[in-house]
């Protein structure tokens, strides 16, 4: 029962504190006057650094600032206080992850880069670091996200120096992997397969493959398929190697045609007049009739 009693008692003090808060609400008047910083003391429920002056309650950020306040309280409250607390709608408000998600499709300012890291890094390109929605603040109706808790805290204290920065034209690429399936069709193709297809088609264009006894269309398609398989970065080195081998054999097959075509003459030549490997290659060529290379790989 005594625990309950103390809890009730503390709760009553908090209620009273709330009803008699001074002009600075839960913000430390000493931090505002001396550092021009907004230090929100509502975060800690402790009343350790609280003081009363002229019937109003004030909460300070530290023992040191409580001491300063107690020495000359009139210097820290109106009319002598150098800076007033900004109006409510001009105070930064921390946002939970759920709150940020609920605000979708509204996006973070600065394309999600951390404004504190950027300004503290002298607005350099290297200081453009993405924020995360775990560290989010709403200020002047805009959402800002930060690299970490420390940067968020700096912003909360002095939002006016960080909120209106201009991004440079050149921006680093976003780090977080884009979910391919979330992209529209063209974007999906561009991000997912464009490079591989361009490379394969370039190879087809350079080689202009025509396999013995196979149509040009089928030869080109099959060669494209081999190329895609042989350079598929998602597959194992072993599988890629196997397909490179198949691709080379296919290329050799294609070369038979131009080779034989360049040697053969309309006039019959005696075997000894023919180049060394001609007969052998002709045999290979003829043996290809009726056998078609396939894409499937037996591992
Ligand atoms: C790797 O290659 C094998 C054989 O072609 C194929 O069955 C498999 O789907 C490929 N894996 C990936 C991740 O592309």
């Amino acid at each position: 029962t005594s625990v309950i009693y103390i809890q009730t008692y503390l709760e009553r003090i908090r209620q009273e504190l709330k009803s008699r808060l001074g002009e600075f609400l839960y913000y430390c008047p000493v931090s505002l006057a001396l550092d021009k910083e907004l230090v929100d003391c509502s975060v800690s429920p402790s009343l350790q650094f609280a003081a009363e002056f002229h019937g109003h309650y004030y909460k300070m950020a530290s023992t040191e600032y409580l001491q300063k306040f107690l020495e000359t309280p009139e210097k820290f409250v109106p009319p002598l206080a150098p800076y007033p607390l900004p109006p409510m709608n001009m105070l930064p408000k921390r946002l939970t992850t759920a709150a940020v998600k609920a605000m979708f499709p509204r996006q973070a300012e600065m394309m999600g880069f951390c404004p504190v890291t950027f300004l503290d890094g002298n607005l350099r390109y290297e200081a453009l670091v993405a924020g995360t929605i775990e560290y989010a603040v709403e200020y002047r109706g805009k959402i800002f996200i930060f690299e970490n808790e420390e940067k968020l805290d700096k912003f909360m204290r002095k939002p006016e120096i960080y909120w209106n920065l201009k991004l440079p034209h050149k921006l680093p690429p976003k780090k977080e992997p884009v979910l391919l399936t979330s992209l529209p069709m063209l974007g999906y193709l561009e991000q997912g397969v464009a490079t591989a297809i361009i490379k394969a088609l370039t190879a087809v264009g350079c080689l202009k493959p025509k396999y013995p006894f196979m149509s040009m269309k089928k030869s080109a398609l099959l060669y494209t398929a081999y190329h895609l398989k042989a350079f598929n970065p998602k597959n194992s080195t072993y599988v890629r190697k196997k397909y490179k081998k198949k691709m080379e054999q296919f290329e050799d097959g294609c070369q038979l045609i131009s080779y034989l075509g360049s040697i053969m003459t309309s006039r019959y030549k005696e075997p000894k007049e023919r180049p060394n490997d001609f007969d052998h290659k002709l045999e290979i060529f003829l043996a290809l009739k009726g056998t078609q290379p396939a894409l499937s790989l037996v591992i």
Side-chain angles (χ1 to χ4, degrees), residues 7-253:
Q7 279 180 347
T8 320
Y9 180 73
L10 277 177
E11 190 48 40
R12 266 182 42 213
I13 294 179
R14 283 199 194 98
Q15 285 303 323
E16 180 170 349
L17 177 83
K18 201 175 164 192
S19 69
R20 290 170 63 192
L21 276 176
E23 310 74 6
F24 297 106
L25 311 173
Y26 288 107
Y27 288 88
C28 169
V30 183
S31 303
L32 191 59
L34 300 184
D35 313 319
K36 215 179 166 188
E37 283 191 0
L38 294 164
V39 181
D40 181 2
C41 304
S42 68
V43 191
S44 96
S46 157
L47 300 174
Q48 208 185 342
F49 310 133
E52 189 195 343
F53 181 64
H54 286 341
H56 286 309
Y57 288 128
Y58 299 92
K59 260 185 113 176
M60 263 58 70
S62 62
T63 328
E64 189 199 339
Y65 279 10
L66 173 65
Q67 206 51 47
K68 281 190 196 291
F69 185 84
L70 293 175
E71 279 161 21
T72 51
E74 63 286 347
K75 265 173 63 181
F76 299 106
V77 304
L80 291 186
Y83 311 110
L85 186 73
M88 279 303 259
N89 59 357
M90 294 289 273
L91 291 171
K93 198 174 109 221
R94 180 154 195 175
L95 296 170
T96 61
T97 309
V100 179
K101 284 186 180 158
M103 287 160 113
F104 184 85
R106 281 180 59 196
Q107 296 292 314
E109 294 298 304
M110 298 216 8
M111 294 180 70
F113 291 107
C114 174
V116 177
T117 310
F118 186 46
L119 183 61
D120 290 1
N122 298 318
L123 308 175
R124 282 172 307 128
Y125 176 83
E126 301 77 52
L128 284 166
V129 175
T132 68
I133 62 166
E134 273 168 69
Y135 310 110
V137 169
E138 187 175 15
Y139 181 66
R140 293 183 182 239
K142 297 172 192 294
I143 305 170
F144 296 89
I145 56 175
F146 304 90
E147 192 187 352
N148 54 38
E149 189 74 43
E150 182 202 332
K151 312 274 164 139
L152 177 143
D153 184 61
K154 274 189 111 165
F155 183 91
M156 292 292 280
R157 287 167 182 255
K158 284 179 181 277
E160 75 280 5
I161 68 170
Y162 294 112
W163 78 281
N164 205 11
L165 306 175
K166 290 269 170 301
L167 280 176
H169 288 297
K170 191 179 164 230
L171 296 172
K174 287 267 182 181
K175 284 239 176 60
E176 68 264 44
V178 183
L179 262 187
L180 278 186
T181 46
S182 70
L183 293 172
M185 181 61 87
L186 269 181
Y188 170 79
L189 292 173
E190 205 173 278
Q191 295 288 321
V193 293
T195 313
I197 290 180
I198 289 168
K199 283 190 176 153
L201 292 184
T202 306
V204 175
C206 290
L207 187 71
K208 303 188 184 71
K210 164 72 179 79
Y211 198 79
F213 310 103
M214 188 183 273
S215 73
M216 280 205 268
K217 186 173 166 183
K218 192 168 175 198
S219 302
L221 283 171
L222 194 56
Y223 188 72
T224 309
Y226 281 142
H227 196 284
L228 290 172
K229 293 267 192 189
F231 294 95
N232 177 4
K234 289 252 159 86
N235 221 319
S236 64
T237 317
Y238 177 79
V239 169
R240 279 201 298 273
K241 252 197 193 138
K242 284 263 179 188
Y243 273 110
K244 273 188 193 134
K245 190 105 209 286
K246 281 198 106 174
M247 199 171 92
E248 279 160 20
Q249 285 167 356
F250 189 79
E251 285 170 14
D252 290 346

Side-chain angles (χ1 to χ4, degrees), residues 272-293:
K272 62 178 187 320
E273 281 183 72
R274 301 174 200 155
N276 270 345
D277 53 351
F278 179 85
D279 287 24
H280 175 61
K281 290 207 167 163
L282 187 61
E283 262 170 46
I284 298 176
F285 177 82
L286 292 172
L288 289 176
K289 189 170 183 178
T291 65
Q292 299 274 290

